[in-house]
Amino acid sequence: MLANLDRWDPFSGAEPTSRGSTAERQVFIENARNLNTEVRESVSRAIRSVLPRPFTRMAEAAFTWMSGCPHEGQQPLYRRTKVLCTIEAFVGFALAVALGYAFVEWGLWYLLPISWILVVGRMWALFNIFHHATHKTLFESERLNRTLAFASSLVMFASSLDSYRDEHIRSHHTRAMCTYQDQEAPFMPLGFRPGLTSHYYRWRLIWLIATPWTYLQYTRYRLWDWQRSEPIARQLAVWTFAVALIALAALTGALLDFALAYVVPVFLIFNVTGLLGSFSEHHWGTLLNEAPRRRLVLLQQSRFLLDEAPSLDNGRIRNTRSVAIWFLRAAFYHLLVRIAVLPGDSINHDHHHRHPRTENWPESTYERFEHLMHGCKGFEEYPHTHAWSLGEAISRVFARMEAAPYDVTQPEPTGEERIFRTIYCMTFKRSLVITAS
């Protein structure tokens, strides 16, 4: 089984296609940890050793949901359906916003981050519904799909179904994926040009999250740039919805509630989670000279969320400190990422790109696991790959972008990007090193 190899070289026996590609290919050689599910199996063994049998199945289900990875032989507690996913997204979003209103009204300001996390998580769940409507894998009725896509895009202030379908299907799911021609590639306009250093990329990401410029730009995109090319009816619907929200909040004396419960998570926190998700799912701007089929399977990864279980001694805890750290990371790192950044089937993004028309996407966690264990139909020579945390996933992306050739023919950096480069070089007393040519 390919997934059980100690190391896997996807370019074994293939000749480099261009200058610089040998070094670039090296960083795509995978270790066993990112090919198998031993991390998940270690947690399963610990659960069976520590918990009484009646509680093991519930614990296994909880860690499978959080991590996005089942253990070998596991079956789901219940079958998720498209209807259930849709209800969870829409009702969950409404309840999360209502919870934020309640926190403001009750003076529980310190609890607002909880509602923000839930709101942005349900926004990404709404986007997943919108995304599957784009691929026509939501429901059989195109009219119903359009209605749900319209409703979800309206509350998120996103582009319409037709606009996104044109951009996503005809650009991102083609040979242009993760290239300069990919309309969803964020690395060019956001200043993540391939061929720079991982250190630079990490600080660039921090800069974008910390500076107001990012949020002003993104708000302009959502309220103006994305909308002005839409049909008049769509523009009227968006602006009518926006005015109605503000008017209702003003008439009820709840403008502050509206700002804190809706505007902050929708226009600020959502942007942060979007950046973290984008720079963990694809290896942007890499392997530009490789064959499309090889790029299809190598440029995306699943983002599992779990740490290897602490060592036990005959079912007894050997190191209390390591167990405490493990639970803290699970509760305040992996769980928060699962809720706010990677809800639903977005956690198994590589599976989506291999099978974009699968009708079983609500159970993609288990479907992908079957493919990992028994070979992915149509891609038997290419095992699925994954990271085990959001941070690891981002580091893998940045390491592979660093090894990619720097394209000097691309446009000059924007003014904002030049400011950041100057601050970066002065702060770290280093120049921007071109790592590949």
Side-chain angles (χ1 to χ4, degrees), residues 15-240:
E15 291 295 324
T17 55
S18 65
R19 182 185 176 189
S21 63
T22 301
E24 186 179 17
R25 286 178 169 190
Q26 277 298 118
V27 296
F28 279 87
I29 297 176
E30 296 284 4
N31 293 316
R33 183 175 182 275
N34 303 109
L35 293 167
N36 62 38
T37 60
E38 177 54 28
V39 170
R40 177 65 181 87
E41 295 301 330
S42 73
V43 174
S44 183
R45 289 192 295 269
I47 289 173
R48 293 194 299 270
S49 298
V50 173
L51 293 181
R53 182 177 293 273
F55 299 101
T56 57
R57 195 175 180 206
M58 291 296 295
E60 293 282 23
F63 281 111
T64 292
W65 169 79
M66 185 186 76
S67 67
C69 179
H71 70 81
E72 197 162 356
Q74 183 180 8
Q75 295 297 319
L77 284 178
Y78 66 95
R79 293 288 175 181
R80 291 175 57 80
T81 65
K82 298 175 183 179
V83 173
L84 180 59
C85 291
T86 304
I87 293 174
E88 285 177 350
F90 281 95
V91 175
F93 176 78
L95 291 177
V97 173
L99 183 63
Y101 270 85
F103 286 156
V104 177
E105 286 296 310
W106 297 338
L108 303 175
W109 304 86
Y110 53 90
L111 295 180
L112 274 171
I114 297 176
S115 68
W116 294 344
I117 289 170
L118 295 174
V119 168
V120 297
R122 291 303 85 196
M123 284 183 69
W124 285 116
L126 287 172
F127 177 78
N128 285 345
I129 299 301
F130 179 83
H131 180 233
H132 288 293
T134 300
H135 285 279
K136 301 182 180 181
T137 56
L138 187 54
F139 296 110
E140 292 184 3
S141 170
E142 177 66 7
R143 177 177 294 182
L144 178 58
N145 290 343
R146 285 187 169 275
T147 300
L148 294 171
F150 173 80
S152 59
S153 65
L154 194 65
V155 299
M156 294 189 299
F157 289 93
S159 56
S160 67
L161 178 65
D162 289 329
S163 296
Y164 182 74
R165 183 174 282 170
D166 183 67
E167 173 185 291
H168 187 71
I169 302 298
R170 301 181 187 179
S171 172
H172 189 58
H173 278 269
T174 66
R175 294 185 178 187
M177 179 186 64
C178 296
T179 69
Y180 296 105
Q181 288 72 47
D182 186 349
Q183 295 181 44
E184 294 189 16
F187 59 88
M188 282 296 292
L190 293 180
F192 288 81
R193 296 159 186 259
L196 300 174
T197 66
S198 295
H199 188 270
Y200 170 86
Y201 295 137
R202 283 193 293 271
W203 280 101
R204 178 64 179 165
L205 182 59
I206 293 171
W207 168 274
L208 289 178
I209 291 174
T211 54
W213 173 89
T214 305
Y215 305 96
L216 292 173
Q217 285 288 97
Y218 195 44
T219 300
R220 192 199 76 188
Y221 290 150
R222 292 167 70 181
L223 296 181
W224 178 248
D225 291 8
W226 292 350
Q227 307 301 335
R228 63 180 176 176
S229 60
E230 301 283 4
I232 295 297
R234 166 73 185 188
Q235 294 183 44
L236 286 174
V238 171
W239 286 109
T240 299

Side-chain angles (χ1 to χ4, degrees), residues 200-321:
Y200 170 86
Y201 295 137
R202 283 193 293 271
W203 280 101
R204 178 64 179 165
L205 182 59
I206 293 171
W207 168 274
L208 289 178
I209 291 174
T211 54
W213 173 89
T214 305
Y215 305 96
L216 292 173
Q217 285 288 97
Y218 195 44
T219 300
R220 192 199 76 188
Y221 290 150
R222 292 167 70 181
L223 296 181
W224 178 248
D225 291 8
W226 292 350
Q227 307 301 335
R228 63 180 176 176
S229 60
E230 301 283 4
I232 295 297
R234 166 73 185 188
Q235 294 183 44
L236 286 174
V238 171
W239 286 109
T240 299
F241 178 69
V243 171
L245 284 177
I246 296 172
L248 180 63
L251 289 173
T252 57
L255 279 174
L256 180 61
D257 309 59
F258 171 69
L260 292 175
Y262 186 87
V263 175
V264 169
V266 170
F267 287 96
L268 297 183
I269 314 299
F270 186 68
N271 185 63
V272 175
T273 59
L275 287 171
L276 297 176
S278 294
F279 288 105
S280 63
E281 64 184 2
H282 290 300
H283 307 299
W284 301 100
T286 62
L287 302 179
L288 297 180
N289 297 303
E290 297 294 338
R293 179 178 174 79
R294 184 175 289 129
R295 296 186 75 249
L296 169 66
V297 295
L298 296 183
L299 295 191
Q300 38 264 330
Q301 60 185 344
S302 280
R303 294 153 289 179
F304 293 157
L305 305 172
L306 198 64
D307 296 328
E308 187 172 0
S311 299
L312 299 177
D313 186 6
N314 293 324
R316 294 183 179 181
I317 296 174
R318 183 182 301 174
N319 188 322
T320 304
R321 182 174 178 272

Side-chain angles (χ1 to χ4, degrees), residues 299-361:
L299 295 191
Q300 38 264 330
Q301 60 185 344
S302 280
R303 294 153 289 179
F304 293 157
L305 305 172
L306 198 64
D307 296 328
E308 187 172 0
S311 299
L312 299 177
D313 186 6
N314 293 324
R316 294 183 179 181
I317 296 174
R318 183 182 301 174
N319 188 322
T320 304
R321 182 174 178 272
S322 65
V323 173
I325 292 174
W326 189 92
F327 274 105
L328 286 173
R329 279 178 56 87
F332 297 102
Y333 177 30
H334 296 314
L335 180 60
L336 295 184
V337 170
R338 183 66 164 122
I339 294 172
V341 184
L342 302 174
D345 64 319
S346 58
I347 201 166
N348 304 122
H349 197 65
D350 60 341
H351 180 71
H352 164 70
H353 271 272
R354 295 188 186 206
H355 308 283
R357 297 302 302 275
T358 180
E359 295 288 341
N360 194 33
W361 54 266

